[in-house]
Amino acid sequence: MNQLPLFQPSSLSVSEITRYLRSLMDNDDLLQSVWVQGEISNFSRPSSGHLYFTLKDNSAALRCVMWKSTALRIRFAIQNGLAVEAHGSISIYERDGQYQLYVDALRPAGEGLLYQEFMRLKNRLEAEGLFDPDRKRPLPELPRCIGIVTSPTGAALQDMLNTLRSRYPLAAVLLSPCSVQGEQAPAEIVSALRRLSTTEAEVILVARGGGSLEDLWAFNDERVVRAIVASPIPVVTGIGHETDFTLADFASDFRAPTPTAAAVHATPDRADLADELAGWQDRLHGAASLLFSQKWQELENTQMRLDRASPGQRVRSERQQLDEWQERSARAVSSLLRLRRANLAGLANRLQALNPEGILKRGFTMVQREDGSLLSSVRQASVGETVDVRFWDGKISTRVESVQPGKLPDLEQ
Amino acid sequence: MQPSPDEIQSLTYEQAFSRLQEIVTGLETTENTLEEALVLFEQGQALAQYCARLLDKAELRVRTLGQQDEPAEEG
């Protein structure tokens, strides 16, 4: 039988009991860091920016509050009916006498399990050395052919093609399409990679747009990881958003934060190439100009030396010599001629003096025998001999009657 | 290895650009006769113009692999 004690224990005030409860909770380890799974209801977001909602299941409900700073980081739509997991600490809001979960992290339900599996897989594959930095291969600087593994209907493909068109249209793109989420996705991604392995692609972009952990799950599949590792062609991954890391990202030769970033990383910008080309063109012109002006200078020098020793020059000097000789010899000849003429004239006179015609014209005659020989003495004549008496203008033929020597008497005076 | 004007058209950007670089450094450092220098300069010009045209005029070619491109299964 219950009897009220004679002296009742003293009463605690509301504040005291509340404070007591609060202290209990604040000192409990589990309550300071706990994940709670439930369905969102009574969701409200007043102008303060803080979020208020209730997590419930079939038989209980837990009031929750999330401060604005945490709320801003939530990337999915929080709404009534959504199954979530909330992390935080449980304490009492004394004024209301209300215990509530102060939420510092929120994720869609089921992601917790997925994340655990993710970590398990990651550790196992990492231990095999599949994510070693040494395994990462360098990418070609000027790829002629780029392979792309992605959904043919997704925005990721269009983003990448637009990037490539403006940045590096010199390349050819080989699209190897596949699903990028769902049950079939891992097998299709593996096939798509294998199909590219025998082409002339020099780099492969594996990409998909943003989504939840579940949406991206295909890229955490072990088969996909092994296919990327086995690819003979370097792989660049661009999956989800900047903060998403999948096992495919760890296995690839380079992880880009997004599909567009993957396309950028795999190619040079043609504007940069154009600048580089212009630089080399300048060097080409510079080198050629320098060389040509050097050659021209050499040529001019050679020309000068050549001119001094050239045949033209020699001919000129020889011609000059020739002229001099000609002059001298001309003078010599003419003096010789004069001499000769003088001699000749003398001779001519002497000859003239000796010319018989003059003598004959004076009345003297030449007496010649028949053979032409001259008789220069009377004793050369014989009586009865026929002789020619030659006058200046003819001859007579006569017979010697007598021969009488005797000189001519000297002519007086 | 001196490509003719027609052969230049079949070079990739990388090949043409690399040959241009060779020619330029050759002109800058090697002894060349005037004849050789002229030939090299003309070649360099042709290559540079070819590269510039590629950068300016190239259009992205996109081809989709189909099921028929499936490689043979490896044993």
Side-chain angles (χ1 to χ4, degrees), chain A residues 7-25:
Chain A
F7 298 105
Q8 291 178 8
S10 52
S11 301
L12 292 172
S13 68
V14 173
S15 297
E16 282 167 340
I17 190 69
T18 307
R19 214 174 304 132
Y20 177 77
L21 280 167
R22 178 157 173 201
S23 165
L24 270 181
M25 291 184 186

Side-chain angles (χ1 to χ4, degrees), chain A residues 39-45 51-56 61-64 79-81:
Chain A
E39 186 184 302
I40 293 182
S41 64
N42 299 339
F43 176 74
S44 81
R45 191 202 297 259
L51 301 186
Y52 297 92
F53 56 93
T54 301
L55 279 182
K56 68 180 175 70
L62 176 63
R63 292 264 278 267
C64 301
Q79 51 197 313
N80 290 331

Side-chain angles (χ1 to χ4, degrees), chain A residues 35-109:
Chain A
W35 279 99
V36 179
Q37 186 190 332
E39 186 184 302
I40 293 182
S41 64
N42 299 339
F43 176 74
S44 81
R45 191 202 297 259
S47 53
S48 62
H50 305 313
L51 301 186
Y52 297 92
F53 56 93
T54 301
L55 279 182
K56 68 180 175 70
D57 61 17
N58 289 337
S59 43
L62 176 63
R63 292 264 278 267
C64 301
V65 57
M66 185 193 298
W67 304 132
K68 178 180 173 181
S69 52
T70 311
L72 288 172
R73 282 190 272 118
I74 302 301
R75 285 200 326 258
F76 59 94
I78 301 172
Q79 51 197 313
N80 290 331
L82 194 65
V84 296
E85 289 167 338
H87 179 271
S89 58
I90 297 185
S91 187
I92 288 182
Y93 182 50
E94 294 171 37
R95 182 144 294 278
D96 279 357
Q98 186 67 51
Y99 69 90
Q100 50 192 4
L101 176 64
Y102 295 85
V103 179
D104 57 36
L106 194 69
R107 65 191 182 206

Side-chain angles (χ1 to χ4, degrees), chain A residues 6-284:
Chain A
L6 193 60
F7 298 105
Q8 291 178 8
S10 52
S11 301
L12 292 172
S13 68
V14 173
S15 297
E16 282 167 340
I17 190 69
T18 307
R19 214 174 304 132
Y20 177 77
L21 280 167
R22 178 157 173 201
S23 165
L24 270 181
M25 291 184 186
D26 289 350
N27 288 313
D28 185 285
D29 287 339
L30 174 65
L31 294 182
Q32 287 315 298
S33 176
V34 62
W35 279 99
V36 179
Q37 186 190 332
E39 186 184 302
I40 293 182
S41 64
N42 299 339
F43 176 74
S44 81
R45 191 202 297 259
S47 53
S48 62
H50 305 313
L51 301 186
Y52 297 92
F53 56 93
T54 301
L55 279 182
K56 68 180 175 70
D57 61 17
N58 289 337
S59 43
L62 176 63
R63 292 264 278 267
C64 301
V65 57
M66 185 193 298
W67 304 132
K68 178 180 173 181
S69 52
T70 311
L72 288 172
R73 282 190 272 118
I74 302 301
R75 285 200 326 258
F76 59 94
I78 301 172
Q79 51 197 313
N80 290 331
L82 194 65
V84 296
E85 289 167 338
H87 179 271
S89 58
I90 297 185
S91 187
I92 288 182
Y93 182 50
E94 294 171 37
R95 182 144 294 278
D96 279 357
Q98 186 67 51
Y99 69 90
Q100 50 192 4
L101 176 64
Y102 295 85
V103 179
D104 57 36
L106 194 69
R107 65 191 182 206
E111 264 196 31
L113 283 172
L114 274 179
Y115 186 69
Q116 277 173 29
E117 193 175 336
F118 171 81
M119 287 309 296
R120 264 202 306 272
L121 254 179
K122 176 167 182 276
N123 292 333
R124 182 157 62 79
L125 296 174
E126 195 165 16
E128 279 185 48
L130 300 184
F131 305 155
D132 280 353
D134 303 339
R135 287 204 58 260
K136 315 284 180 208
R137 292 165 288 190
L139 306 178
E141 278 196 34
L142 296 167
R144 280 161 285 184
C145 181
I146 300 174
I148 299 186
V149 170
T150 194
S151 162
T153 56
L157 176 61
Q158 293 314 314
D159 289 343
M160 286 189 287
L161 289 180
N162 287 337
T163 302
L164 290 174
R165 265 185 210 107
S166 82
R167 191 179 159 81
Y168 191 64
L170 284 80
V173 169
L174 275 179
L175 173 62
S176 190
C178 61
S179 307
V180 288
Q181 73 180 72
E183 275 290 312
Q184 297 306 312
E188 286 187 28
I189 295 169
V190 169
S191 286
L193 271 168
R194 217 184 307 126
R195 249 181 272 137
L196 282 172
S197 66
T198 54
T199 66
E200 68 270 22
E202 294 170 56
V203 64
I204 296 177
L205 310 180
V206 173
R208 76 146 277 154
S212 66
L213 184 55
E214 256 176 318
D215 293 335
L216 305 182
W217 193 252
F219 295 93
N220 288 320
D221 191 287
E222 185 172 348
R223 292 167 285 174
V224 171
V225 169
R226 293 195 188 278
I228 288 175
V229 164
S231 165
I233 302 166
V235 172
V236 175
T237 49
I239 296 165
H241 294 304
E242 281 81 358
T243 53
D244 293 312
F245 279 81
T246 63
L247 297 181
D249 288 315
F250 293 120
S252 69
D253 296 282
F254 185 84
R255 181 240 172 210
T258 63
T260 298
V264 167
H265 186 81
T267 55
D269 190 335
R270 63 171 161 170
D272 294 337
L273 291 178
D275 284 344
E276 199 187 12
L277 180 65
W280 282 89
Q281 247 180 320
D282 286 343
R283 277 176 67 175
L284 176 69

